[in-house]
């Protein structure tokens, strides 16, 4: 059964446009790698410098492990490291933001 994982990241000041441009042109090989790793959907919202992600994925930890050293993901993560305050380590050990409530 797929799971939905919420994440929070933060942009470095002044990188908002660059971040939007990067996400308007995600490399097809990265999209394929995400799908192959079980990602069904990934949505990102921005409020100021704060980014909120919701990832629908078959197995979040397995996806993170699969992408950690993937040749399509490594350059993308290097690019994101230039734009984000704190970069993920892709350990696969995190569980995202704790869900408090959901309207079923």
């Amino acid at each position: 059964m797929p799971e939905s994982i919420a994440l929070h990241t933060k942009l470095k000041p002044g990188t908002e446009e660059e971040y939007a441009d990067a996400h308007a042109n995600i490399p097809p090989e990265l999209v394929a790698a995400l799908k192959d790793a079980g990602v069904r959907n990934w949505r990102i919202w921005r409020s100021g410098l704060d980014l909120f992600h919701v990832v629908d994925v078959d197995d979040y930890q397995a996806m993170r492990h699969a992408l950690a050293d993937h040749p399509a993901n490594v350059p993308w993560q290097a690019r994101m490291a230039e734009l984000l305050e704190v970069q993920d380590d892709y350990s696969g050990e995190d569980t995202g933001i704790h869900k408090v409530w959901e309207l079923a």
Side-chain angles (χ1 to χ4, degrees):
M1 172 131 190
E3 55 187 331
S4 293
I5 302 294
L7 305 169
H8 173 244
T9 53
K10 190 167 188 130
L11 288 170
K12 293 177 182 175
T15 63
E16 299 90 338
E17 188 175 323
E18 222 175 319
Y19 185 84
D21 288 346
H23 283 80
N25 299 295
I26 295 178
E29 59 273 13
L30 179 58
V31 172
L34 289 165
K35 289 182 179 184
D36 288 346
V39 176
R40 295 169 181 239
N41 197 4
W42 193 314
R43 297 170 305 281
I44 304 172
W45 291 264
R46 183 174 70 80
S47 177
L49 297 176
D50 292 297
L51 300 167
F52 301 93
H53 312 243
V54 175
V55 184
D56 299 323
V57 61
D58 294 332
D59 181 327
Y60 180 68
Q61 276 76 32
M63 178 271 293
R64 299 288 278 200
H65 285 292
L67 293 175
D69 296 317
H70 194 286
N73 189 46
V74 170
W76 178 260
Q77 292 308 317
R79 175 81 174 108
M80 292 300 103
E82 297 171 355
L83 306 175
L84 298 174
E85 287 288 341
V86 177
Q87 183 61 20
D88 294 329
D89 65 4
Y90 268 81
S91 68
E93 303 308 317
D94 66 288
T95 57
I97 298 171
H98 177 74
K99 180 171 42 175
V100 176
W101 181 79
E102 179 176 353
L103 177 63

